[in-house]
Amino acid sequence: MISAFFIFNQKGEVLISRLFRTDFKRSIADVFRIQVVSNPDVRSPIITLGSTSFFHTRVNNLYVVAVTKSNANAALIFEFCYKFINIAKSYFGKVDEESVKNNFVVIYELIDEIVDFGYPQNSEIDTLKTYITTESVVSSAVAVEESSKITAQATGATSWRRGDVKYKKNEAFVDVIENVNLIMSAKGNVLRADVDGHIQMRAYLSGTPECKFGLNDKLVIDKSQGSGGDAVELDDCHFHQCVRLHEFDLTRTISFVPPDGEFELMRYRSTTNVKLPLRVLPTVTEIGTSQVSYAVTVKANFNSKLSATNVVLRIPTPLNTTNVECKVANGKAKYVPAENVIVWKIPRIQGGQECTLSANAELTSMTTRQVWARPPIDVDFQVLMFTSSGLIVRFLKVFEKSGYTSIKWVRYLTKASGTYQIRF
Amino acid sequence: MTSAQDGKFFQRGKTEELRAELQAAEGKDKKYIKRKTALKKIVANITMGNDMSPLYTDVVHCLGTPLLEVKKMVYLFLISYGRSKPEQITYVIPNFLQDCNDRNPLIRALAIRTMSYIPIPSVTDALAETLRHCLKDRDAYVRKTAAICVAKLYVADPRRTEKAGYVEMLRDLLLDSNATVVANAVAALSEIAERHDGVSFQLNLVVANKLLAALNDNSEWGQVYILDALLRFVPQEHADAEIMAERIVVQLQHANSAVVLTTIKILLYLMNYVENRRLIEHICKKMGPPLVTMLSSGPEVQYVALRNILLIIQRRPMVLKNDVKVFFCKYNDPVYIKLAKLEIIYRLARAENAPEVLAELQEYASEVDIDFVRKAVRSIGRLAIKVEEASSACINALLDLIDTKVTYVVQEAVIVIRDVFRRYPGRYEGVIPKLCEHMDLLDESESKAAIIWIIGQFSDRIDNADDLLDDLVYTFLEENVEVQLALLTASVKLFIHKSQKPSVKELVHKVLKWATEEIDNPDLRDRGFMYWRLLAINPATAKEIVLAEKPAITTDSDRMDRGALDQLLLHTGTLGSIYHKNPETFIRGVAGRSLPDTPALNNHSRAVLISTGRGAQYMNPPISVAAGPIEPSAGPSTVGNQAPSSPEADERLLPSGSDGQDADTSIDKDRDADEHAAPTRPPAPMDVNDPYSNLDGAFGGYIADGPRPMQNRGQNNDLDDLLL
C-alpha cells in the first residue's frame, strides 16, 4: 500500500510530506523531483524505478504524489488522490500552492485521519468535518460523548451522514448534468457521440430521510435485446456509496439515505439517440501555400425557447500563420497566435439560430513544407434545461419518520468542455 | 470555510531560534498562540526537509499543553524523529499510555496509531498490553485502528508479533460486528500474508460469506480490502464460485473505479471455477459497460482502465467486442492514453469495423506526437496483416502516408509494408518502385534493413536492384549489425537471382569479403562464411536454402499465452496490470500468485495452468526486459509486426505455420466466442524461473515499447538501495 504521500509545487518544492512506512526516507522526494517535475517529457502518471513506484496526479500546478514499494492497487491510489483533492477543495475552497501552504497543519491532520499505514480510511467529508476543523478544539472530558458519536459515524453503516441534522425548510436540489462527447469526421459522419451524465444532489433534509429516485431510464446490458418506448437507454450507471446496489439490481429502484449537503448521487453513460445540441459545419480551404480560408457555421439544434450560452469555438490555424482576418455577425472572434487558434466566443445562441464565421489566414512561406495536421475544431457550450440523452427525473420521494414535507427542485444542464470535436 | 494563513511559516528556520521561541512560550502565552506558532514553524521545516531533530526535548515538552492541535503536531514530530532517538522516547511513553486510556475514543486511537508508527522496541513493548485491550475496545473506531497497528508491528518484527498472539486476535476481528473493523482486519491480514515470510491467510466459505455480509456497510476503501481478499477463497465446487460471483456482481455499479476493478479481478478469478456457460456470458456482458465508464474518469484512472482492458479483452474477448468506437482518441487526450487506446483499437479491429478503424488510424498518422504517429502508422500495417479484407485499403493508406515524405512516417511505413509482403505473397509487390523512390529518407537501421530485405527478396523483379544495392553497400562498414546482416543476405539473394551479371558477382564478393574479414561481429562473420561456402560448393542448394518458401506471417500469436493471462489477471487493477508483468518479477519481496488447482477448476484453465511456488521470485536485475528496442537476439519473434532483426534470422526462428492445429483442437468451451480465436497454444517451454520470458517476443516490438518499470542497467548497486 501507500508508503509515502507528497504534495509538490510546480518547482518541485515539497509542500506536504508524510511517510507511512519505514521503507523510505524523505529523500525519496528528490527522486520524484528529478524523474517527473524536472522532466519535460513525462509520459505516464506512474513511474517505477526498481521496486519503487510513484503515482502522481496534477491539480492547479501541484503534484499530488503517492509512493509505494508494493504491487499496489493502482486504481485505488488514484481514486484516493482524487478524493484527497476533493476533501481539500471542500475544506479550503480551492487547491493550489497558496491554500496548501496556508493550511498545512490541517492537511497533516486530515492525512493522519484518512490514511493509516497507507490504507485509505473513512474519507467522507461530512464526517471529517465533525472533528477536524480549521479551528482548534480543546480536548476535554465534555467532548467524550460527542467523540463516541463521531467514531460511531466514522465506522458506521451510514458513515456519510450524521443522525442529528435539522433544517427549518426541508429542500432537495437535483442537478442533472450531462457532458457530451463528440468526434465528428471531416466528412460529417459522427464517429463517436455519447453522454457522460451525473446527477448532483444537494440535500438539506432533517433526520434520516429515506429517498427514492426515479428516472425515465432503461439500463441496457445487452444491446441486442431491442428497445422500445420513450425510455432513455443507459449503457451503464454507477452510484454513490449510499445507494443500495442490491435493491437496484433486483427492482431497479434507486433508494438511499443521502449525505447531508452536496454529493454526486449517480453517474451514467448513454450512447444511443444522443441529441447533439450544436451542429458545426466547417469549410476550410488551403489556397496554395500562402492562405487558408475558413467558413464555419454553428447551428443550434434544439427548441427555440432554450438557448446555448458561453459558446466558445476554437478553430485551429496552421503553425506558420502570420495574421487572420475574421468576420462574424454574432459574438467576437480573434486570432490567438500563442495557441494557433481562432477563438470565437458567442455569449448566447437561441434554439434554431445559425451563426457564421468567415476568416482568412495568411501564412508565411516555410523552408520545409510540412503537411498541416489539422487538429479538430473544439466547441465548448452550455445549454440549460436540456439533456442530450433525453433523461428526465420522474420522481424524488422523501420519507422521514417525522413525516415532514419537502420541496424538490430539478435542473438540467448539458455542456461540453474540451470534448466536442469536429475534424475538418 | 475559514482559511488559515500559515503559508508564512514556510521559511527556513534555525533550530536555536525555534528553541528560543518555544522556551519563550513557556512564559505568558495566551491561548498557547506562541507555542502553536513555533510548532507550526517546526512542522513546516520538517516538510521542507530541514533537520529538526535537535529540538526533540523542547518539542516533547509541549505535550503538557491541553490542546489537541498541539498534541497532534508533537505526535507528527515524533513520527518523523522518534526512531532516531530511541533513548529519549522513553520520556514520552507515559504520555502515550495516558492517552491510550483516555475516555475519548479518538484520543485512544490517536495514541496507538502514533505509537505504532514508531517501531522501536521501547515503544512496542509499551504498546503491547494496551494494544491487546484496544483490539477488544468497546469502540469500533479504536478496534479498526488497532487492527492496522498489528500490521505495522508485524512489518517491524514479524516473529515477535506472531508470538504475542496479535495475528490470532486479528483473525477474530474478521467476525467483528462492525463492518469497518472487519475491513481493516482483512487489510492487515492481507498485508501480512502478502509478505513471503508472512502467515497464511485463506478464507473458507463461512468466513468469505461473513466478509461479503460486511461489504455493503463499508466505505469504498473497505469494500476494496474485502473484495481483494476474496482471492484467498478457493472454490472447491463450481457452485461456490457461481454463488459468490452472483453476489458480488452488483459491485460493478459502484462509483469508485477501485471497487469496480477489484470486483472485476475477483469475477475473472472466479470464472475459472464456474461451469455455467450462461453465467459466464452474463458476467462478461456486465463487465463491459463499467470498464468503458472509467474512460470518463480522470486521465490517471483512464490509463489504469485501458491497460487492464487490454489484458481483459485478450482473455475474454466478449467483454467489449462491439465497442471499438469508445476507444477512439480525443485530440487532447494525454499521449499515454492515446498509446494505450491505439493498442486496444488494434485488438478490437475486425473485418466489420476495419474501414472505420483505418480512417481513424489515418487521422492519428497526421498528429504531432512522433511516438504516437509512428505507432499509428505501424498499426495500419498490422491491421492489413490481421484483417485480410482491409489489406488493400491499408496499403493505399500507407502509400498516401509515404507521399507526405515525413521521414519517420515513411520509415514506419516501409517497415510494415515489408511484413505485409510476407503476409500476402504476390499481391502488393507492385508498390515496390514507390518504396525505392523514397529510399534516401530512410536513416534508421530498422527501416533500412526493411528496404534492403525488400530489394534482396524481390531482386528478380526490380530491374535496377543491383544498382540500388550497390549504393547501399557503399557504407557497409559504417552501418550497424542489423543493417549489415540485411545487406549481406540481400546481396546473396541478388546474386542467386542475377548470377550472370558480372557487376553482381563483384558486389557479392565484396560484401562477403567485408563480412568475413573486416567485421568483428561473430554472427555476421559466421553468416558470411556460411553463405560463401554454400555458394562455392553448391549454388543450387544455396538457392533452395536462401530462397526457401517462407512461412506466412500471422497475428495469431499476437495475444498473450492463455495460462500467462490467467495468472496476470489475478493482478487486475494493480501495478502488475499496468506493466503486464507479474509483480514478483519486478518488485522485491512480493509473492507470486497462481490459480489454485481444485476439483472445481475448469479443465481448460487447468490445461494451461502456470503454478508459482511461494517464495522469492524477484531476480535482480530481472531478465533481459530492459527498456529500449529488443536486441536482435531477443528470442523467437513470430509476429509480423515485430521487425525481424534480419529476415533470414527470423525465418529460421519462425514456428512452422501449422503449429496452431495440433495445439488444442477441442472446442475451447471456456474461451469466449471470438472470430479470430486462434486455437490456444500449449505453453511453450519456458525458463523455469520466469514463465514470461518468452512474452516480449510474442508481442512483437509493441509491448516492448509499452510502459515498463525502469531498471538500472549496467550498474551493480541496486537502485532500491540507492533510493534508501
Side-chain angles (χ1 to χ4, degrees):
Chain A
M1 264 307 143
I2 304 170
S3 285
F5 182 81
F6 294 103
I7 299 179
F8 291 84
N9 68 8
Q10 203 175 9
K11 283 185 263 172
E13 291 162 353
V14 179
L15 305 183
I16 293 291
S17 140
R18 176 71 209 260
L19 305 180
F20 299 109
R21 293 174 179 236
T22 49
D23 49 5
F24 290 121
K25 290 192 181 132
R26 190 195 165 282
S27 54
I28 193 74
D30 301 333
V31 179
F32 180 80
R33 176 169 45 243
I34 294 161
Q35 291 292 339
V36 178
V37 183
S38 36
N39 181 350
D41 190 31
V42 175
R43 300 181 79 100
S44 168
I46 305 174
I47 286 179
T48 301
L49 290 152
S51 298
T52 304
S53 299
F54 297 86
F55 295 73
H56 75 272
T57 179
R58 303 194 61 174
V59 54
N60 292 332
N61 290 328
L62 296 179
Y63 292 85
V64 176
V65 184
V67 194
T68 176
K69 250 187 193 178
S70 64
N71 181 36
N73 186 326
L76 178 132
I77 291 187
F78 284 131
E79 288 283 355
F80 171 74
C81 292
Y82 295 167
K83 190 80 182 196
F84 172 83
I85 292 168
N86 266 332
I87 294 172
K89 258 187 204 140
S90 160
Y91 264 85
F92 317 123
K94 58 187 168 125
V95 188
D96 56 14
E97 178 166 355
E98 197 193 345
S99 71
V100 169
K101 275 184 159 173
N102 277 335
N103 296 285
F104 71 99
V105 176
V106 181
I107 291 178
Y108 277 124
E109 214 176 316
L110 280 169
I111 293 173
D112 195 48
E113 189 55 42
I114 61 178
V115 202
D116 194 3
F117 201 42
Y119 289 96
Q121 301 287 314
N122 177 37
S123 51
E124 293 298 331
I125 294 164
D126 198 38
T127 311
L128 289 171
K129 282 190 172 168
T130 58
Y131 62 111
I132 297 181
T133 56
T134 41
E135 284 112 60
S136 60
V137 181
V138 179
S139 154
S140 63
V142 189
V144 170
E145 222 170 275
E146 183 61 22
S147 299
S148 299
K149 250 188 225 166
I150 293 168
T151 56
Q153 195 192 332
T155 58
T158 45
S159 60
W160 55 85
R161 190 179 178 92
R162 289 190 299 242
D164 56 354
V165 184
K166 277 202 186 74
Y167 288 100
K168 225 183 250 171
K169 200 162 138 195
N170 289 293
E171 286 182 295
F173 299 86
V174 176
D175 285 343
V176 179
I177 300 161
E178 299 200 333
N179 269 302
V180 198
N181 296 306
L182 170 74
I183 302 179
M184 188 170 278
S185 78
K187 295 192 183 95
N189 299 324
V190 173
L191 294 177
R192 174 186 171 184
D194 50 75
V195 169
D196 290 325
H198 60 116
I199 297 181
Q200 204 71 21
M201 192 165 165
R202 277 169 298 150
Y204 305 113
L205 301 166
S206 313
T208 311
E210 175 69 39
C211 298
K212 282 200 191 312
F213 188 69
L215 299 164
N216 63 332
D217 69 309
K218 188 163 68 106
L219 190 67
V220 193
I221 297 302
D222 189 357
K223 284 254 173 91
S224 59
Q225 281 166 353
S227 57
D230 62 342
V232 169
E233 289 182 21
L234 299 187
D235 292 50
D236 189 25
C237 45
H238 290 259
F239 298 101
H240 184 269
Q241 178 77 17
C242 66
V243 175
R244 295 183 189 95
L245 296 179
H246 277 277
E247 209 165 312
F248 176 77
D249 199 48
L250 290 173
T251 64
R252 292 272 165 251
T253 48
I254 303 170
S255 64
F256 56 98
V257 176
D260 188 36
E262 183 166 2
F263 68 103
E264 187 184 277
L265 174 65
M266 165 181 181
R267 244 189 282 157
Y268 60 91
R269 197 159 51 75
S270 175
T271 52
T272 34
N273 303 323
V274 174
K275 287 173 271 183
L276 299 172
L278 293 181
R279 230 22 221 205
V280 179
L281 307 162
T283 315
V284 180
T285 330
E286 287 171 64
I287 306 165
T289 54
S290 61
Q291 272 186 43
V292 179
S293 82
Y294 295 84
V296 181
T297 304
V298 199
K299 197 174 174 207
N301 242 344
F302 45 81
N303 190 314
S304 60
K305 284 178 191 142
L306 305 177
S307 60
T309 51
N310 299 328
V311 182
V312 181
L313 284 92
R314 304 169 64 80
I315 305 160
T317 55
L319 303 182
N320 56 335
T321 304
T322 50
N323 190 32
V324 183
E325 269 177 50
C326 310
K327 264 188 243 151
V328 288
N330 308 75
K332 281 179 187 162
K334 73 168 187 215
Y335 169 56
V336 182
E339 296 168 52
N340 292 304
V341 286
I342 302 165
V343 177
W344 180 17
K345 291 185 182 167
I346 313 168
R348 176 182 292 269
I349 306 180
Q350 213 62 36
Q353 197 187 344
E354 250 187 54
C355 306
T356 305
L357 163 143
S358 54
N360 202 34
E362 284 166 35
L363 315 178
T364 51
S365 56
M366 296 212 291
T367 43
T368 50
R369 193 181 133 60
Q370 221 186 32
V371 184
W372 177 32
R374 289 187 172 227
I377 295 174
D378 183 80
V379 190
D380 293 354
F381 59 84
Q382 298 186 332
V383 188
L384 259 176
M385 301 317 280
F386 174 86
T387 52
S388 267
S389 66
L391 197 79
I392 293 167
V393 176
R394 284 243 189 274
F395 59 84
L396 171 63
K397 292 176 188 158
V398 179
F399 307 95
E400 217 278 335
K401 53 179 185 288
S402 66
Y404 58 73
T405 49
S406 49
I407 310 160
K408 299 117 187 169
W409 307 90
V410 182
R411 267 195 311 186
Y412 301 93
L413 175 69
T414 289
K415 61 184 179 112
S417 158
T419 57
Y420 207 80
Q421 301 185 340
I422 292 108
R423 297 173 182 167
F424 57 90
Chain B
M1 216 175 293
T2 52
S3 194
Q5 295 297 320
D6 293 346
K8 56 181 179 290
F9 300 130
F10 272 81
Q11 274 176 30
R12 197 180 179 89
K14 288 196 180 124
T15 49
E16 306 89 63
E17 288 167 12
L18 290 167
R19 178 175 293 133
E21 255 184 75
L22 277 177
Q23 279 161 1
E26 306 214 349
K28 202 178 160 201
D29 187 8
K30 210 181 167 191
K31 287 187 180 167
Y32 310 104
I33 301 263
K34 286 187 201 163
R35 196 166 285 190
K36 268 187 349 195
T37 306
L39 282 172
K40 282 181 181 177
K41 285 183 186 168
I42 292 170
V43 172
N45 270 283
I46 298 175
T47 305
M48 290 187 289
N50 303 329
D51 183 18
M52 292 285 117
S53 62
L55 294 170
Y56 198 93
T57 27
D58 309 82
V59 172
V60 166
H61 214 72
C62 298
L63 265 182
T65 318
L67 258 190
L68 188 56
E69 198 185 356
V70 168
K71 187 193 289 287
K72 286 186 174 175
M73 283 195 275
V74 176
Y75 280 2
L76 197 61
F77 183 93
L78 289 174
I79 292 171
S80 306
Y81 297 115
R83 275 192 302 144
S84 60
K85 306 257 174 185
E87 66 290 348
Q88 291 184 31
I89 197 106
T90 43
Y91 303 117
V92 195
I93 286 174
N95 258 303
F96 272 135
L97 291 179
Q98 197 188 335
D99 280 359
C100 289
N101 291 312
D102 198 290
R103 286 180 54 212
N104 186 332
L106 288 169
I107 301 291
R108 290 203 295 279
L110 177 66
I112 57 167
R113 188 164 67 217
T114 308
M115 285 178 87
S116 53
Y117 273 126
I118 313 168
I120 51 174
S122 54
V123 181
T124 42
D125 285 347
L127 182 60
E129 203 43 43
T130 312
L131 183 57
R132 224 177 293 275
H133 288 301
C134 288
L135 283 164
K136 292 179 177 164
D137 198 287
R138 63 183 187 287
D139 195 296
Y141 185 84
V142 179
R143 291 201 300 278
K144 73 117 186 167
T145 310
I148 298 286
C149 286
V150 175
K152 291 187 213 168
L153 293 187
Y154 194 95
V155 169
D157 190 347
R159 295 289 83 83
R160 247 183 73 165
T161 310
E162 218 180 322
K163 248 197 192 147
Y166 292 132
V167 178
E168 285 317 304
M169 293 180 80
L170 212 46
R171 289 186 202 270
D172 294 342
L173 287 186
L174 291 181
L175 305 172
D176 197 282
S177 58
N178 182 287
T180 307
V181 176
V182 173
N184 272 13
V186 167
L189 271 172
S190 302
E191 160 113 25
I192 290 171
E194 257 338 86
R195 301 163 55 95
H196 54 86
D197 59 352
V199 298
S200 113
F201 175 31
Q202 294 288 327
L203 297 179
N204 60 29
L205 195 56
V206 178
V207 181
N209 279 327
K210 183 83 175 79
L211 295 188
L212 281 177
L215 194 63
N216 287 320
D217 288 344
N218 245 300
S219 73
E220 49 208 316
W221 318 116
Q223 295 199 2
V224 174
Y225 308 147
I226 289 181
L227 286 166
D228 202 53
L230 293 179
L231 272 191
R232 301 175 185 277
F233 168 71
V234 181
Q236 300 297 330
E237 290 171 32
H238 296 309
D240 294 351
E242 287 165 9
I243 292 166
M244 186 157 297
E246 279 171 352
R247 281 188 74 174
I248 63 167
V249 84
V250 293
Q251 299 305 126
L252 292 173
Q253 234 83 56
H254 200 285
N256 184 311
S257 68
V259 176
V260 176
L261 269 178
T262 311
T263 306
I264 287 177
K265 167 164 71 179
I266 302 305
L267 288 172
L268 290 167
Y269 162 67
L270 290 174
M271 277 195 277
N272 289 302
Y273 299 89
V274 169
E275 193 183 29
N276 183 343
R277 287 286 302 158
R278 293 177 73 177
L279 180 62
I280 290 181
E281 279 176 28
H282 174 73
I283 294 172
C284 285
K285 275 182 193 152
K286 283 252 186 183
M287 280 195 302
L291 283 169
V292 176
T293 298
M294 280 182 223
L295 302 183
S296 327
S297 190
E300 295 84 9
V301 165
Q302 284 187 51
Y303 180 62
V304 175
L306 289 166
R307 294 295 294 167
N308 277 284
I309 288 170
L310 188 51
L311 282 180
I312 293 167
I313 57 175
Q314 289 178 71
R315 178 65 180 85
R316 302 279 174 190
M318 195 200 275
V319 173
L320 286 167
K321 64 175 177 186
N322 294 321
D323 285 312
V324 72
K325 278 186 181 182
V326 298
F327 297 102
F328 286 179
C329 301
K330 291 178 196 154
Y331 190 75
N332 40 358
D333 278 337
V335 69
Y336 56 85
I337 288 188
K338 286 184 177 175
L339 291 171
K341 282 184 175 173
L342 189 59
E343 193 59 37
I344 294 172
I345 291 174
Y346 163 71
R347 276 187 202 274
L348 292 176
R350 289 176 294 159
E352 299 90 273
N353 59 24
E356 280 171 281
V357 169
L358 176 61
E360 198 60 22
L361 294 175
Q362 281 178 282
E363 192 72 31
Y364 304 157
S366 66
E367 282 202 17
V368 185
D369 188 277
I370 295 180
D371 192 25
F372 181 58
V373 169
R374 280 175 172 264
K375 285 184 178 146
V377 175
R378 242 182 231 228
S379 297
I380 295 176
R382 294 166 79 200
L383 181 65
I385 293 164
K386 177 174 176 179
V387 181
E388 183 160 4
E389 292 86 339
S391 59
S392 297
C394 290
I395 283 287
N396 288 332
L398 288 170
L399 292 177
D400 287 345
L401 286 169
I402 287 176
D403 279 334
T404 63
K405 294 195 171 60
V406 178
T407 51
Y408 52 86
V409 171
V410 174
Q411 317 221 42
E412 288 297 327
V414 169
I415 293 164
V416 278
I417 288 177
R418 185 254 332 261
D419 292 335
V420 175
F421 286 158
R422 290 193 51 192
R423 169 75 172 81
Y424 306 108
R427 210 184 289 179
Y428 298 113
E429 283 81 353
V431 308
I432 291 174
K434 179 121 181 185
L435 301 185
C436 295
E437 273 171 39
H438 295 85
M439 215 162 69
D440 3 327
L441 289 173
L442 311 178
D443 55 8
E444 290 167 17
S445 5
E446 198 182 354
S447 59
K448 267 192 187 174
I451 193 78
I452 293 165
W453 182 86
I454 291 169
I455 295 171
Q457 185 64 24
F458 303 106
S459 49
D460 50 336
R461 309 188 190 196
I462 306 172
D463 291 335
N464 59 343
D466 43 338
D467 292 338
L468 291 172
L469 261 187
D470 200 43
D471 281 351
L472 285 163
V473 297
Y474 189 70
T475 50
F476 184 86
L477 292 173
E478 286 95 66
E479 298 291 353
N480 77 3
V481 179
E482 186 180 1
V483 179
Q484 286 172 333
L485 282 167
L487 280 171
L488 174 62
T489 307
S491 330
V492 172
K493 284 179 182 167
L494 172 73
F495 175 72
I496 288 170
H497 282 305
K498 298 185 174 171
S499 49
Q500 60 286 61
K501 263 188 151 176
S503 64
V504 170
K505 210 169 182 175
E506 200 180 299
L507 175 78
V508 76
H509 185 79
K510 185 166 67 184
V511 173
L512 285 172
K513 211 161 150 55
W514 273 334
T516 51
E517 287 173 14
E518 306 273 335
I519 300 290
D520 294 329
N521 183 301
D523 281 348
L524 191 56
R525 209 175 46 216
D526 288 356
R527 199 178 297 178
F529 279 124
M530 184 193 75
Y531 282 137
W532 204 330
R533 283 176 197 153
L534 257 179
L535 292 173
I537 295 165
N538 191 341
T541 316
K543 182 174 179 181
E544 264 174 53
I545 290 173
V546 177
L547 295 178
E549 182 109 348
K550 285 165 203 51
I553 277 184
T554 68
T555 50
D556 289 350
S557 53
D558 215 4
R559 80 167 98 203
M560 212 185 269
D561 170 77
R562 162 127 172 233
L565 265 176
D566 279 340
Q567 197 178 15
L568 203 43
L569 284 170
L570 296 174
H571 301 288
T572 302
T574 68
L575 267 179
S577 73
I578 305 288
Y579 297 120
H580 295 185
K581 283 162 76 71
N582 274 333
E584 66 270 24
T585 61
F586 68 98
I587 300 172
R588 196 204 299 247
V590 176
R593 273 192 184 149
S594 61
L595 287 176
D597 189 2
T598 76
L601 185 63
N602 292 328
N603 289 334
H604 291 88
S605 300
R606 186 177 295 119
V608 294
L609 185 66
I610 299 173
S611 48
T612 328
R614 277 174 70 111
Q617 305 246 324
Y618 177 87
M619 273 157 292
N620 191 19
I623 12 301
S624 73
V625 284
I630 288 190
E631 296 293 310
S633 58
S637 51
T638 55
V639 201
N641 51 52
Q642 196 215 335
S645 53
S646 139
E648 253 57 46
D650 197 45
E651 279 150 32
R652 277 181 283 118
L653 290 165
L654 273 170
S656 73
S658 65
D659 78 341
Q661 278 126 40
D662 53 16
D664 187 352
T665 40
S666 62
I667 307 155
D668 187 351
K669 286 203 196 113
D670 192 31
R671 161 121 39 204
D672 306 317
D674 173 26
E675 294 87 329
H676 319 290
T680 326
R681 286 156 185 273
M686 285 162 195
D687 187 306
V688 192
N689 289 322
D690 181 16
Y692 305 102
S693 53
N694 65 337
L695 276 187
D696 283 334
F699 269 100
Y702 291 84
I703 297 306
D705 296 346
R708 55 185 48 236
M710 290 187 240
Q711 303 296 343
N712 48 333
R713 277 172 299 164
Q715 285 170 32
N716 293 330
N717 42 0
D718 183 12
L719 186 81
D720 290 328
D721 301 330
L722 278 179
L723 290 176
L724 277 168

